[in-house]
């Protein structure tokens, strides 16, 4: 069934593959788009040149609509030198203890400037652009609209959803408490914005009149339909696609997803300095997690990068940022196109079951 939202975007299914920065590839994005969903390229960590290269690769693999996602951040960052020194000592000691032959270093830059990434996105001109961590400025939004780019904001509360709607966004992705990865919260403390999907959806539907996208550990077609009944125009799935062969998630991470207990998923700051949802593993247990003890994002994210790369190479999932949603163990390792087909078959069967009960 092609919903009005899907028709507007030129896709077949009300299904979006979440833009998981560091784990999505052009191959994954294209596979989902070719299967009728909306593939999303997570570009928050990419240089402007890499954004253009990956966009070109995606377009070479699919003629269907796709999205590029960016993190709305400042162009420049300052870091507390003492805080950086202390966390580097802590990280280096952990790597020594765990037998990893790598140490932290001060990078040339903490992150790529958002304004330059946004300029690259405009040059790539994807049909859809999505954003997290903060609002765009009215000028930035207008520039995207002039290029006929469909803009999706990320919200974790009703107030944030209204802020995006008032700005003029075309749709809002509602990131519920169950969702994996970095929290998109920008108007509240992260802990105050952990609202369950089945509460957040109807509350936001009452408050805004633009399409809402449900995001929060949706792992099968039944959950997609449930979200639609509560007001969602589409569902955005991230963890469900992490174990696909087209995903660039580390092999150890893909393996660990299949055995995650729901009580092991927690809010973590110690990898990046920003609240994110993922698996409470050995690294998380060994590192401080209070904001006051950690450099903020993206400073800490840059400092932990060598450790995460070394852990992935060594097959040490217990030292990785294993982002995942609450129902991660429902993951089904299979090619992305096959997963889209399974999800939509489940969605159709669930809808048919409701129709029989009516």
């Amino acid at each position: 069934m092609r919903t009005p939202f899907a028709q507007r975007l030129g896709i077949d299914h009300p299904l979006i593959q979440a833009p998981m920065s560091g784990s999505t590839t052009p191959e994954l994005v294209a596979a989902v788009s070719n299967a009728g969903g909306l593939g999303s390229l997570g570009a928050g960590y990419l240089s402007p040149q890499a954004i253009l290269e990956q966009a070109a690769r995606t377009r070479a693999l699919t003629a269907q609509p796709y999205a590029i996602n960016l993190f709305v951040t400042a162009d420049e960052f300052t870091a507390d030198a003492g805080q950086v020194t202390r966390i580097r000592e802590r990280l280096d000691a952990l790597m020594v203890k765990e037998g990893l032959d790598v140490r932290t270093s001060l990078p040339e830059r903490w992150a790529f400037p958002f304004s330059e990434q946004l300029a690259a996105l405009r040059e790539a001109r994807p049909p859809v652009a999505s954003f997290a961590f903060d609002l765009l400025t009215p000028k930035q939004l207008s520039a995207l609209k002039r290029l006929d780019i469909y803009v999706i904001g990320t919200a974790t509360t009703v107030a944030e959803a209204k802020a995006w709607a008032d700005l003029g966004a075309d749709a809002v992705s509602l990131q519920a408490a169950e969702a994996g990865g970095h929290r998109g919260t920008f108007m509240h403390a992260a802990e105050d914005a952990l609202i369950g999907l089945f509460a957040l959806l109807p509350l936001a539907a009452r408050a805004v009149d633009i399409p809402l996208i449900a995001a929060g550990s949706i792992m099968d077609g039944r959950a997609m339909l449930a979200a639609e009944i509560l007001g969602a125009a589409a569902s955005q799935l991230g963890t469900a696609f992490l174990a696909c062969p087209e995903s660039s998630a580390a092999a150890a991470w893909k393996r660990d997803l299949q055995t995650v207990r729901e009580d092991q998923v927690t809010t973590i700051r110690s990898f990046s300095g920003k609240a994110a949802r993922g698996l409470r593993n050995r690294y998380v247990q060994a590192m401080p997690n209070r904001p006051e003890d950690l450099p903020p994002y993206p400073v800490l994210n840059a400092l932990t990068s060598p450790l995460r790369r070394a852990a992935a190479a060594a097959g040490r999932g217990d030292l990785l940022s294993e982002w995942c949603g609450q129902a991660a163990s429902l993951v089904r390792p299979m090619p992305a196109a096959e997963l889209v087909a399974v999800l939509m078959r489940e969605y159709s069967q669930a809808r048919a079951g409701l129709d029989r009960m009516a």
Side-chain angles (χ1 to χ4, degrees):
M1 182 178 295
R2 206 174 191 210
T3 65
F5 176 82
Q7 289 178 333
R8 170 62 182 82
L9 293 187
I11 59 179
D12 295 329
H13 309 309
L15 168 63
I16 299 172
Q17 162 254 312
M20 300 167 286
S21 294
S23 301
T24 52
T25 63
E27 288 72 21
L28 175 61
V29 174
V32 173
S33 290
N34 285 333
L38 182 72
S40 301
L41 181 65
Y45 302 143
L46 298 180
S47 70
Q49 183 60 35
I51 291 173
L52 292 173
E53 291 170 355
Q54 293 206 16
R57 174 64 179 162
T58 301
R59 182 48 72 212
L61 294 170
T62 182
Q64 302 306 311
Y66 77 102
I68 295 178
N69 173 269
L70 291 178
F71 300 148
V72 183
T73 58
D75 273 2
E76 297 182 1
F77 306 92
T78 57
D80 181 299
Q83 198 176 48
V84 167
T85 297
R86 289 190 295 273
I87 203 67
R88 287 185 65 191
E89 291 172 350
R90 187 80 176 254
L91 287 167
D92 288 344
L94 178 62
M95 287 186 271
V96 169
K97 180 179 179 181
E98 297 298 333
L100 295 181
D101 188 22
V102 65
R103 301 294 177 264
T104 61
S105 61
L106 293 177
E108 180 181 344
R109 66 178 79 196
W110 297 118
F112 295 104
F114 172 69
S115 63
E116 295 179 10
Q117 292 178 315
L118 185 60
L121 183 149
R122 290 197 302 267
E123 184 177 344
R125 202 170 178 174
V128 181
S130 62
F131 299 91
F133 293 10
D134 207 345
L135 294 171
L136 295 173
T137 66
K139 183 178 180 180
Q140 290 168 337
L141 182 69
S142 295
L144 295 170
K145 293 293 191 71
R146 286 195 297 271
L147 295 172
D148 197 29
I149 296 174
Y150 190 93
V151 177
I152 301 173
T154 300
T156 61
T157 65
V158 173
E160 292 176 350
K162 290 178 66 176
W164 274 108
D166 291 344
L167 181 67
D170 295 297
V172 175
S173 175
L174 293 176
Q175 187 190 40
E178 299 94 334
H182 281 106
R183 303 296 298 164
T185 308
F186 59 91
M187 293 178 67
H188 315 270
E191 289 79 7
D192 295 335
L194 292 171
I195 303 166
L197 185 61
F198 278 22
L200 186 56
L201 263 174
L203 289 170
R206 184 178 64 181
V208 304
D209 58 3
I210 60 175
L212 299 175
I213 300 162
S217 213
I218 297 173
M219 300 294 287
D220 58 32
R222 298 171 305 165
M224 290 175 61
L225 180 61
E228 183 180 311
I229 290 171
L230 288 173
S235 292
Q236 180 170 285
L237 285 67
T239 304
F241 285 98
L242 274 176
C244 293
E246 299 92 341
S247 160
S248 59
W253 181 4
K254 292 182 179 183
R255 180 193 64 227
D256 291 346
L257 286 174
Q258 299 176 59
T259 58
V260 174
R261 298 194 317 269
E262 68 280 3
D263 60 290
Q264 290 177 298
V265 179
T266 189
T267 303
I268 303 163
R269 283 189 170 83
S270 53
F271 279 108
S272 71
K274 185 173 179 63
R277 299 281 286 170
L279 176 60
R280 184 190 296 107
N281 58 18
R282 187 176 183 86
Y283 174 94
V284 175
Q285 293 170 336
M287 295 295 293
N289 202 43
R290 299 187 307 169
E292 57 268 31
D293 296 329
L294 301 167
Y297 181 92
V299 174
L300 183 57
N301 192 66
L303 292 173
T304 62
S305 180
L307 183 150
R308 288 181 280 121
R309 287 196 300 268
R316 293 289 303 273
D318 58 342
L319 299 176
L320 286 173
S321 48
E322 297 182 296
W323 305 140
C324 60
Q326 209 72 49
S329 64
L330 296 178
V331 70
R332 293 172 285 193
M334 64 178 71
E338 184 178 338
L339 179 57
V340 171
V342 169
L343 289 165
M344 296 317 302
R345 183 166 61 248
E346 293 169 343
Y347 172 88
S348 297
Q349 290 171 345
R351 178 174 285 281
L354 282 184
D355 291 341
R356 287 194 297 270
M357 295 172 60

